[in-house]
Amino acid sequence: MNDDRTGRGAAIVVRDVHKDFDGGVVRALRGVDLDVLVGEWVAVVGPSGCGKSTLLHLLAALDSPTSGRVRVLDHDLAALDDPARYRRSVVGLVFQLHNLVPHLTAAQNVEIALFGTHRSRGERRRRALELLADVDLAGLERRQPTRLSGGERQRVAIARALANNPPVVLADEPTGSLDTASATRVTGVFERLRDDRPELTIVMVTHDPRVAARADRVIEMCDGIVVGGQAATART
C-alpha cells in the first residue's frame, strides 16, 4: 500500500484480526483492520476493555491472534522463527509501568537492551548515554529508578526502547501514571522522535485526549473493533 500524501508504504497491516480468550468466552478483538504508514504516529483511543492493549500485544508478538493476519514491515508475525529477536530488533516497547530494574542505574537499564548484540561494553555505554541525553536525562545516568521521578523513569524506558534503533515503537499508555507536567514532557519526547526520525513508526495506546491530539492520526476502538479514524489536531 502507498499513500499519496507521503509516498510511503505501510509499516503495519492488520487484516480481519480476531482474538478470543477463555475458549471464546471473551472476544477481545472482533475483526480489526488497520494500516499504519511508515513514519506515522498513530494514537489508538477508546474505553477500557475495548481491545487497544490486546491489539498492541499482537503487534509486539507478545500474543497471537485467534484468526486474521498481522504484518509489521517485512515480517508476517504468524511465521516468526524467533519472536524475541523480532522484539529486540524491529519493535521498541514502552509500557505504562516502566519495568526498570530497580538496583541498576538509568544507563545500565538502557544497556540491558543492547546485551546480545555485536556492541562492545564501551559501545553499549556510549549508546546508553547518548540516548539518555536525547530524552533530556543527561547528568542522571548514574541514578537508580528510586531516585528518579515518574516522568524521568518513563523517559529511561523510552531510551531503552530505542536502544537498538527499531523502526517501530509500540507504547501502551506511556503517560497513564504520570502527572500533567511529566506527561507533557514524555509526550514531547515522542514529538521529537517523530520530527527527528521521519522513518520511525509509532503506535501509541492512550486515554489522554491531549496526548492523542499530538499524533498524526487517531484511531478509535470500541468493543473490539475499529469504529473510526480521524486526523489529529494540528500541531502548533
Side-chain angles (χ1 to χ4, degrees):
M1 174 194 137
N2 283 316
D3 182 271
D4 291 338
R5 292 173 296 122
T6 64
R8 295 174 180 171
I12 295 170
V13 176
V14 177
R15 290 290 179 270
D16 194 26
V17 163
H18 294 251
K19 180 60 181 179
D20 299 340
F21 295 99
D22 296 332
V25 174
V26 178
R27 300 180 63 197
L29 299 177
R30 304 171 181 237
V32 171
D33 291 303
L34 178 66
D35 292 275
V36 180
L37 298 176
V38 171
E40 190 175 23
W41 175 7
V42 168
V44 183
V45 303
S48 296
C50 72
K52 304 185 302 295
S53 294
T54 298
L55 175 61
L56 209 71
H57 290 174
L58 298 185
L59 296 178
L62 291 168
D63 204 347
S64 301
T66 302
S67 63
R69 181 166 63 96
V70 181
R71 190 170 186 87
V72 178
L73 296 174
D74 295 327
H75 303 272
D76 180 348
L77 300 197
L80 289 177
D81 293 329
D82 188 346
R85 183 173 62 183
Y86 163 81
R87 287 189 292 271
R88 187 168 58 245
S89 60
V90 179
V91 296
L93 304 177
V94 183
F95 298 106
Q96 181 175 352
L97 298 178
H98 47 75
N99 295 324
L100 301 181
V101 181
H103 66 273
L104 298 182
T105 66
Q108 289 168 336
N109 267 284
V110 177
E111 286 183 65
I112 287 175
L114 295 165
F115 291 163
T117 67
H118 66 279
R119 297 175 186 265
S120 68
R121 181 177 179 182
E123 289 171 333
R124 293 196 301 267
R125 179 70 176 181
R126 285 191 293 272
R127 175 67 173 159
L129 297 182
E130 173 188 282
L131 286 165
L132 289 171
D134 286 346
V135 296
D136 298 329
L137 291 176
L140 301 182
E141 301 92 344
R142 296 186 178 183
R143 290 195 182 181
Q144 294 176 329
T146 54
R147 298 180 57 213
L148 297 171
S149 70
E152 289 166 345
R153 290 194 292 269
Q154 193 60 285
R155 281 183 278 150
V156 174
I158 295 171
R160 181 181 58 192
L162 297 170
N164 289 303
N165 199 29
V168 177
V169 169
L170 306 174
D172 193 357
E173 294 284 1
T175 64
S177 62
L178 303 179
D179 59 49
T180 300
S182 297
T184 297
R185 295 200 69 174
V186 168
T187 305
V189 171
F190 281 100
E191 289 184 309
R192 288 206 311 274
L193 287 172
R194 185 261 314 280
D195 294 340
D196 295 345
R197 305 186 187 193
E199 298 299 315
L200 179 66
T201 303
I202 302 171
V203 179
M204 177 187 292
V205 166
T206 182
H207 277 102
D208 191 333
R210 294 167 299 181
V211 175
R214 309 309 292 181
D216 299 317
R217 185 159 55 103
V218 177
I219 298 297
E220 302 172 55
M221 293 187 67
C222 186
D223 296 330
I225 61 173
V226 173
V227 297
Q230 62 185 41
T233 303
R235 299 186 298 275
T236 58

